Amino acid sequence: MPKTIKKLAVLTSGGDAPGMNAAIRSVVRTCAYHNVECVGVYRGYEGLIEGDFKAMDARSVRGIINKGGTILKSARSKEFRTKEGRQKAFDALAKAEVDGLVVIGGDGSFTGALIFNQEFGFPVMGIPGTIDNDIVGTSNTLGFDTALNTVVDAIDKIRDTASSHNRLFFIEVMGRDVGHIALNTGIAGGAEEILIPEEDLGLDRLVDSLNRSRKSGKTSSIVIVAEGDKIGKNIFQLKDYVDDNMEGYDVRVSVLGHMQRGGPPSCFDRVLASRMGVKAVESLLEGKTNFMVGLLDSKMELTPLDNAIKGKTKINLELLRVSDIMST
């Protein structure tokens, strides 16, 4: 029989993402609904090691569903990567009489949770929070939808100035290993080309494509570049290459950077976070552990943490085809 859970802890780890606060709120209020105590862990695994806990109830999370970032803060922890550090974390949880842990973060955070469970048998449950949408076991990670809307809003504004001055803009978006943000926002923003890690367009083909666009009557162009794109060393090298091999465009670069992680979460992310928090807490209360909650076919489902960590998300081939057609 699984141990009866009387107190849960929740932490956020890794890069922040819009919707994390909404997920914290959901975890805390689901605990209150089931008469389970809840504590927030400040500064991720670093705070877990130091026992930096604060009791939370339904009223302590009011007014945060619309806020970006994370009220629990986030921090990288080198010490938690060691057996000694994880022992300190376990001792801190035991001292606080915590029976289970909800981890909101990405694959690095889940890897730490999985190892922690394997070493100490401590119940853990993951909620995927990352704007990159690069976690297997969910169609959407927390923050992805908000980041898409943030990027599209920026593209719309940049296109105004591109059109006014006959400019070619390279816009870099986040996506070190995957191109989900670039592909979706490129289509939504009407980009002429979308450069992603999964597809190597090649410099010559890029120039040919831009030349065709100009000959078809386009006087300005937008190219969306995922930061992990393999064509050039960086987006500025792309600019220099196009400058040297094309005439007629004033080429500019815009790197959106960390603004993509900020801002109030979208309606979709707020609802998703609320659903994930409920599922995470109730799954732990049912005796389940080592899972991540995710959205699959519009339902909340559980995926083993090991699968979520080791799996690799795939780019949507239909969206690639749509992108090619729309750039005609």
Side-chain angles (χ1 to χ4, degrees):
M1 290 289 292
K3 178 183 176 181
T4 299
I5 290 181
K6 297 181 179 180
K7 182 185 289 189
L8 288 179
V10 57
L11 64 79
T12 50
S13 178
D16 62 293
M20 281 186 165
N21 280 328
I24 294 167
R25 173 180 180 269
S26 179
V27 168
V28 172
R29 292 199 169 177
T30 304
C31 284
Y33 179 84
H34 289 285
N35 296 314
V36 173
E37 291 183 70
C38 187
V39 296
V41 181
Y42 282 84
R43 296 174 295 110
Y45 288 125
E46 194 70 14
L48 197 64
I49 291 170
E50 297 174 7
D52 192 0
F53 306 156
K54 180 180 179 181
M56 304 183 79
D57 59 24
R59 301 284 72 79
S60 67
V61 291
R62 66 182 182 274
I64 69 170
I65 193 171
N66 62 318
K67 297 184 182 300
T70 164
I71 63 167
L72 292 179
K73 310 299 182 184
S74 184
R76 310 287 181 182
S77 177
K78 292 183 179 179
E79 189 175 4
F80 193 77
R81 296 177 183 176
T82 68
K83 178 66 180 289
E84 294 75 18
R86 293 189 292 273
Q87 181 66 59
K88 291 180 182 177
F90 177 77
D91 292 342
L93 288 167
K95 182 178 180 181
E97 298 182 324
V98 174
D99 305 307
L101 176 65
V102 177
V103 175
I104 307 171
D107 56 359
S109 304
F110 293 164
T111 298
L114 180 62
I115 295 173
F116 187 66
N117 172 269
Q118 292 170 343
E119 290 178 343
F120 301 103
F122 196 85
V124 296
M125 191 67 58
I127 293 178
T130 168
I131 68 169
D132 288 336
N133 205 40
D134 58 351
I135 303 292
V136 170
T138 184
S139 60
N140 285 73
T141 56
L142 287 182
F144 178 57
D145 184 73
T146 304
L148 294 184
N149 285 287
T150 298
V151 172
V152 168
D153 183 60
I155 293 172
D156 289 345
K157 290 178 170 63
I158 291 171
R159 184 175 288 283
D160 288 343
T161 190
S163 300
S164 298
H165 297 276
N166 290 351
R167 283 174 176 160
L168 164 61
F169 265 90
F170 285 103
I171 303 175
E172 183 183 274
V173 301
M174 285 186 169
R176 185 178 64 251
D177 301 309
V178 294
H180 298 301
I181 293 177
L183 183 56
N184 282 272
T185 59
I187 292 173
E192 278 64 46
E193 287 294 343
I194 303 169
L195 309 183
I196 58 177
E198 294 88 344
E199 294 284 317
D200 188 351
L201 182 64
L203 287 168
D204 292 335
R205 185 181 155 197
L206 172 63
V207 171
D208 289 342
S209 174
L210 292 172
N211 277 324
R212 285 195 304 272
S213 294
R214 188 174 58 183
K215 289 177 181 178
S216 71
K218 293 182 179 180
T219 58
S220 64
S221 290
I222 298 289
V223 177
I224 304 300
V225 185
E227 61 181 324
D229 175 66
K230 304 299 192 295
I231 289 182
K233 292 181 180 178
N234 55 58
I235 194 171
F236 296 99
Q237 185 189 57
L238 289 177
K239 174 192 180 300
D240 292 341
Y241 186 86
V242 172
D243 272 334
D244 294 339
N245 291 275
M246 285 187 69
E247 295 181 358
Y249 275 132
D250 179 9
V251 186
R252 299 297 175 92
V253 168
S254 182
V255 178
L256 299 187
H258 285 80
M259 68 175 290
Q260 297 162 84
R261 285 186 179 176
S266 65
C267 175
F268 182 90
D269 276 330
R270 297 183 199 193
V271 174
L272 181 63
S274 300
R275 295 177 68 187
M276 285 181 167
V278 171
K279 183 69 173 179
V281 171
E282 292 186 342
S283 295
L284 282 169
L285 296 182
E286 291 167 1
K288 297 182 176 68
T289 185
N290 273 0
F291 287 100
M292 179 199 79
V293 301
L295 182 67
L296 295 173
D297 296 326
S298 299
K299 297 180 180 179
M300 281 293 111
E301 303 287 356
L302 297 180
T303 296
L305 278 179
D306 195 42
N307 292 354
I309 294 164
K310 293 181 179 179
K312 183 175 177 61
T313 58
K314 296 180 180 179
I315 207 71
N316 189 323
L317 297 179
E318 180 191 1
L319 288 183
L320 279 177
R321 183 169 179 272
V322 168
S323 170
D324 289 339
I325 294 172
M326 291 299 102
S327 64
T328 301

